[in-house]
Amino acid sequence: MNEPNEPNEPNEYVGYARMDALHSLQEPRTESPFEMSFILISQVKELLFRMVHLEVDQARARLREDCPAAACRALSRAVRHQRVLIGCWESMNAMPVDEFLVFRDTLGQASGTQSFMYRLLEFTLGNRDTAMVRSADLDAFPQLRAELDRPSLYDEVLRFLARSGFPVPEHLRTREPASRYEPDEGVEKVWLAVYRDPDGHRAAYDLAEQLLEMAYRFSHWRATHLLVVERMLGGKRGSGGSDGAAWLRTVNEHRFFPELWTMRSVL
């Protein structure tokens, strides 16, 4: 075991990861201890969004290099982070609604829907609905605009499948990255071929299963978010001006990598 630092030596753990700066970032506006908890768990979620994005970006890069096994490992790590993200709602769910209302008004128009890191993650996975992003945020956070200029993870998946010999429609291999992805029957047929012969298409099959697990965990996160909001706010409007739970129900209908879901109906 390493000896503790001498009294006059700098604390290397604190200095390396800037823990002092990290713990100075919370500035509650009320005396409620639940507000501090709310801020802390919100910041934890932001960091986890970034961890998931890091792995998704790695998976995308590995697919460009035709290394599906490495891409699957990155997606597997991302799924582990997603599980922790889902668990974050348990901390939020422990907050009594009357205590939340003590400081809710201090949020003003602030809302988790304004998280640029969450939106960057959605963009990277393939959900490029720019209507969900304020134009001011596209200007303030250049990462978002930059992401729209490059192929998403799912775009790279389809290009990898095409290079592997699958008949991915040409218009999807050359599509404009910033445009919204629309489900395609041709892609559904590709996934059908993969699932009807998993041993013959092992790399594509393993990739499909990792993608579906990631999509499942994302939908699980959204569904849990909806339940927590309903428990905390009932039918109240969201703090950012959305319709609260009603809006979240609509969002819950979205599925990443849609043909992997619809293909099951005809398999």
Side-chain angles (χ1 to χ4, degrees):
M1 180 179 293
N2 293 332
E3 293 296 324
N5 291 336
E6 292 298 321
N8 293 329
E9 291 181 357
N11 187 313
E12 294 183 2
Y13 171 75
V14 171
Y16 171 74
R18 297 297 308 280
M19 296 304 180
D20 51 345
L22 177 65
H23 287 290
S24 70
L25 295 176
Q26 300 78 37
E27 298 181 357
R29 299 176 184 177
T30 70
E31 296 299 320
S32 170
F34 292 99
E35 185 186 2
M36 175 62 90
S37 296
F38 181 85
I39 292 173
L40 286 168
I41 200 66
S42 298
Q43 291 177 343
V44 167
K45 286 190 294 182
E46 285 293 318
L47 293 174
L48 286 167
F49 292 149
R50 189 172 182 181
M51 288 178 69
V52 176
H53 179 266
L54 176 68
E55 299 296 356
V56 170
D57 193 40
Q58 284 291 306
R60 177 169 56 179
R62 299 294 80 77
L63 285 173
R64 285 197 297 268
E65 299 167 355
D66 290 329
C67 298
C72 284
R73 289 194 294 272
L75 292 175
S76 179
R77 293 190 297 268
V79 166
R80 288 175 180 265
H81 305 329
Q82 285 181 295
R83 290 173 183 161
V84 181
L85 258 171
I86 295 167
C88 287
W89 289 122
E90 285 302 307
S91 295
M92 198 77 79
N93 203 31
M95 188 181 304
V97 62
D98 55 311
E99 293 289 351
F100 177 58
L101 293 177
V102 168
F103 65 86
R104 189 192 181 213
D105 287 345
T106 68
L107 300 177
Q109 292 300 306
S111 167
T113 63
Q114 297 165 1
S115 165
F116 81 89
M117 186 54 66
Y118 175 84
R119 201 59 59 195
L120 180 65
L121 177 56
E122 284 212 326
F123 280 3
T124 306
L125 287 169
N127 184 25
R128 300 193 164 184
D129 185 357
T130 54
M132 300 295 294
V133 186
R134 302 182 309 169
S135 58
D137 285 344
L138 288 174
D139 294 333
F141 307 110
Q143 303 97 315
L144 293 173
R145 286 197 186 277
E147 180 56 42
L148 292 174
D149 290 336
R150 62 173 68 99
S152 71
L153 171 67
Y154 200 41
D155 288 332
E156 293 294 357
V157 167
L158 297 181
R159 293 178 182 190
F160 166 76
L161 291 173
R163 292 193 300 273
S164 300
F166 292 97
V168 176
E170 183 179 359
H171 71 275
L172 294 178
R173 303 197 304 268
T174 58
R175 63 186 295 272
E176 181 65 31
S179 62
R180 290 187 63 178
Y181 182 84
E182 298 295 338
D184 189 277
E185 184 179 358
V187 175
E188 185 178 82
K189 290 179 179 178
V190 167
W191 288 126
L192 272 171
V194 170
Y195 273 79
R196 283 173 173 161
D197 184 15
D199 290 333
H201 306 300
R202 179 53 56 183
Y205 178 85
D206 289 344
L207 179 59
E209 285 293 286
Q210 288 293 343
L211 291 170
L212 194 70
E213 182 66 15
M214 164 153 279
Y216 172 83
R217 297 292 172 184
F218 212 112
S219 292
H220 189 180
W221 189 88
R222 287 168 168 163
T224 308
H225 184 187
L226 170 60
L227 284 172
V228 172
V229 167
E230 286 183 322
R231 178 170 178 172
M232 299 294 293
L233 298 176
K236 290 187 177 78
R237 291 183 64 82
S239 56
S242 74
D243 290 332
W247 178 78
L248 287 173
R249 288 191 194 95
T250 301
V251 172
N252 265 274
E253 294 298 314
H254 173 265
R255 295 289 182 268
F256 287 101
F257 326 129
E259 297 89 352
L260 282 172
W261 297 86
T262 59
M263 172 271 298
R264 281 155 167 74
S265 299
V266 291
L267 183 62

